[in-house]
């Protein structure tokens, strides 16, 4: 979509939704991604499907399709599904350690996907392959040194997630990590993640020097999300103190909802946890029909690239089944619910269009108030 020139005062959205515009919300992120608003929906396994990705794109943000748990054939079909729902730019989130990641990158290039997003930093040669093919490269990071590394390797943008964020995350809060990352990122686009859910957060991220925000939990809790309704209602009942950072899912710190499964994993013995993890890994293999040869290759890559022990590799194979059981099967009592601490500030389930319009309107209100001297 062609971008309108910035104006001195907010104007109605051209699509007739009534959403206002403001020059401060036209950032380097909107220019780089070719979207209306500097808002990114992150790639979440079992959550960021074709419907959610397309709904975000249609609402003016950057939707990101999660491909980490999809086979190559499923990814190809999912891209076609997104295309059937929207003609706007979108991204695909890849796992840099997958054995066929080069083949997947080539698929994105052929399909003219706008953005290649990575949960883990891709190798320098993989970034070059993406860029040579016309993809915008956007890794996610949780530390200043990682930002410096991917910026030096040629990434176009970086998602910087603070410790408040859900899933794999670190210890440094967004309010400290984001300005660090901005100072280290040079000229590349920076998206803040972890703790964002409204227009006030968007303006605060811009004040820290970010070019926009990326959100997972907030998009998970929309009507366009595939998560089971009973699970969404469980999320809405949670407060900011109802999350825990645990090592017991895959051996790497993850923020999830505190519940029966996590309590059992935390209390269990190491042999017991490994036995349950192996059982879940077998169940996932049967369900996904992923050849054991590929699973073993992925495990070896994880061990080599991330310094995991064999017990951590087994636990990592356990994670997909735990998440699927909760999010899609509607059994949070025996599964795991990833979430950011921001879950305690969310109390409704809007559509993606309603959510993005609300965030933009709130951001404009804040910006106008600041322009009036805070009155």
């Amino acid at each position: 979509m062609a971008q309108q020139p910035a104006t001195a005062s907010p104007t109605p959205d051209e699509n007739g939704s009534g959403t206002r515009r403001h020059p401060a919300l036209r950032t380097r992120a909107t220019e780089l991604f070719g979207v209306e608003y500097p808002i990114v929906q992150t790639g979440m396994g079992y959550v960021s499907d074709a419907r959610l990705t397309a709904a975000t794109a249609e609402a003016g943000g950057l939707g990101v399709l999660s491909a980490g748990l999809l086979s190559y054939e499923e990814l190809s079909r999912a891209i076609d599904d997104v295309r059937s729902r929207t003609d706007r730019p979108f991204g695909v989130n890849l796992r840099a350690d997958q054995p066929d990641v080069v083949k997947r990158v080539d698929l994105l290039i052929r399909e003219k996907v706008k953005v290649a997003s990575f949960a883990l930093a891709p190798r320098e040669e993989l970034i070059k392959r993406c860029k040579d093919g016309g993809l915008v490269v956007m890794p996610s990071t949780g530390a200043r040194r990682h930002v410096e590394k991917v910026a030096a390797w040629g990434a176009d943008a970086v998602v910087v997630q603070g410790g408040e964020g859900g899933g794999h995350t670190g210890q440094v809060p967004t309010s400290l990590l984001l300005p660090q990352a901005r100072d280290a990122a040079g000229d590349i686009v920076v998206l803040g993640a972890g703790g964002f859910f409204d227009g006030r957060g968007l303006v605060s991220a811009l004040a820290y020097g970010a070019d926009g925000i990326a959100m997972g939990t907030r998009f998970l809790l929309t009507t366009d999300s595939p998560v089971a309704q009973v699970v969404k209602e469980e999320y809405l009942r949670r407060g900011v103190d109802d999350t825990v950072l645990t090592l017991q899912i895959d051996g790497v710190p993850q923020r999830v909802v505190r519940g029966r499964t996590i309590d059992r994993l935390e209390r269990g013995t190491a042999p017991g946890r490994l036995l349950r993890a192996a059982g879940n890994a077998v169940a996932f293999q049967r369900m996904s029909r992923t050849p054991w040869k590929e699973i073993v290759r992925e495990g070896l890559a994880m061990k080599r690239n991330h310094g995991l022990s064999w017990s951590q590799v087994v636990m990592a194979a356990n994670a997909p089944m735990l998440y699927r059981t909760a999010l899609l099967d509607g059994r949070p009592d025996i599964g795991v619910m990833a979430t950011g601490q921001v879950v305690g500030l969310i109390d409704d389930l809007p559509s993606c269009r309603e959510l993005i319009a609300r965030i933009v309107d709130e951001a404009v209100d804040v910006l106008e108030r600041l322009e009036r001297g805070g009155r």
Side-chain angles (χ1 to χ4, degrees):
M1 174 174 291
Q3 303 226 359
Q4 296 179 346
T7 59
S9 59
T11 60
D13 191 311
E14 64 181 19
N15 64 20
S17 68
T19 302
R20 294 175 292 165
R21 294 180 182 272
H22 191 284
L25 301 183
R26 299 290 299 281
T27 72
R28 295 189 308 156
T30 59
E31 295 174 2
L32 178 65
F33 303 141
V35 298
E36 294 177 70
Y37 309 117
I39 299 171
V40 175
Q41 160 250 307
T42 60
M44 300 166 279
Y46 294 128
V47 178
S48 301
D49 63 358
R51 178 187 173 194
L52 181 62
T53 301
T56 303
E58 280 292 290
L62 179 72
V64 177
L65 176 72
S66 177
L69 297 174
L70 301 180
S71 69
Y72 177 85
E73 291 73 20
E74 290 170 333
L75 171 59
S76 181
R77 290 194 295 270
I79 291 173
D80 289 341
D81 195 356
V82 176
R83 291 266 192 237
S84 72
R85 297 168 184 265
T86 183
D87 60 359
R88 299 193 179 193
F90 67 96
V92 172
N93 182 255
L94 301 173
R95 280 177 42 202
D97 58 354
Q98 285 187 295
D100 64 346
V101 67
V102 171
K103 183 179 179 183
R104 291 171 183 248
V105 164
D106 289 345
L107 172 65
L108 268 57
I109 292 171
R110 288 197 307 274
E111 293 294 332
K112 300 188 185 305
V113 171
K114 183 69 175 181
V115 177
S117 163
F118 292 91
L120 298 171
R123 304 181 306 276
E124 184 174 8
E125 57 268 29
L126 191 60
I127 292 178
K128 184 177 186 303
R129 189 181 192 94
C130 290
K131 294 187 58 129
D132 287 347
L135 294 170
V136 172
V137 180
M138 183 177 70
S140 295
T141 63
R144 175 179 179 140
R145 66 182 184 279
H146 298 151
V147 175
E148 292 172 337
K149 179 171 68 175
V150 298
W153 285 354
D156 301 290
V158 63
V159 175
V160 179
Q161 178 172 304
E164 303 96 320
H168 291 109
T169 195
Q171 299 284 350
V172 180
T174 305
S175 59
L176 301 180
L177 182 61
L178 191 50
Q180 271 191 323
R182 177 69 277 171
D183 292 344
D187 293 332
I188 71 172
V189 166
V190 172
L191 289 306
F196 297 109
F197 72 107
D198 65 2
R200 296 171 298 180
L202 173 54
V203 175
S204 72
L206 298 178
Y208 277 124
D211 301 287
I213 56 173
M215 303 184 298
T217 303
R218 179 63 275 197
F219 278 106
L220 183 155
L221 293 172
T222 62
T223 58
D224 297 302
S225 159
V227 172
Q229 183 65 26
V230 64
V231 179
K232 291 178 182 178
E233 292 170 359
E234 182 67 23
Y235 272 111
L236 293 179
R237 286 195 289 269
R238 298 293 179 159
V240 293
D241 296 324
D242 289 334
T243 72
V244 61
L245 200 59
T246 181
L247 295 171
Q248 301 309 326
I249 298 174
D250 62 3
V252 181
Q254 291 197 53
R255 186 173 296 284
V256 298
V257 170
R258 191 187 306 274
R260 184 184 305 172
T261 302
I262 295 301
D263 290 343
R264 187 169 63 246
L265 289 173
E266 292 280 353
R267 289 195 306 265
T269 62
R273 288 194 294 267
L274 285 176
L275 185 61
R276 282 192 295 272
N280 279 331
V282 170
F284 177 73
Q285 188 278 331
R286 290 173 178 168
M287 179 196 66
S288 66
R289 300 179 184 175
T290 303
W292 279 111
K293 182 179 179 180
E294 290 189 17
I295 291 176
V296 171
R297 280 198 299 170
E298 286 189 31
L300 290 171
M302 291 172 65
K303 189 176 190 302
R304 179 177 63 252
N305 297 334
H306 309 297
L308 301 184
S309 66
W310 280 115
S311 63
Q312 287 175 312
V313 170
V314 174
M315 291 169 70
N318 166 60
M321 202 65 190
L322 288 174
Y323 283 123
R324 180 185 176 87
T325 299
L327 299 177
L328 298 190
D329 297 343
R331 293 296 308 275
D333 55 323
I334 58 175
V336 171
M337 300 160 58
T339 185
Q341 286 181 295
V342 73
V343 70
L345 301 176
I346 297 172
D347 59 9
D348 66 347
L349 298 171
S351 68
C352 287
R353 184 173 294 279
E354 292 167 339
L355 173 62
I356 289 181
R358 179 198 304 172
I359 290 173
V360 172
D361 281 345
E362 290 169 346
V364 171
D365 285 341
V366 173
L367 290 165
E368 289 182 327
R369 177 171 57 81
L370 294 174
E371 290 167 354
R372 295 191 303 267
R375 295 186 295 275

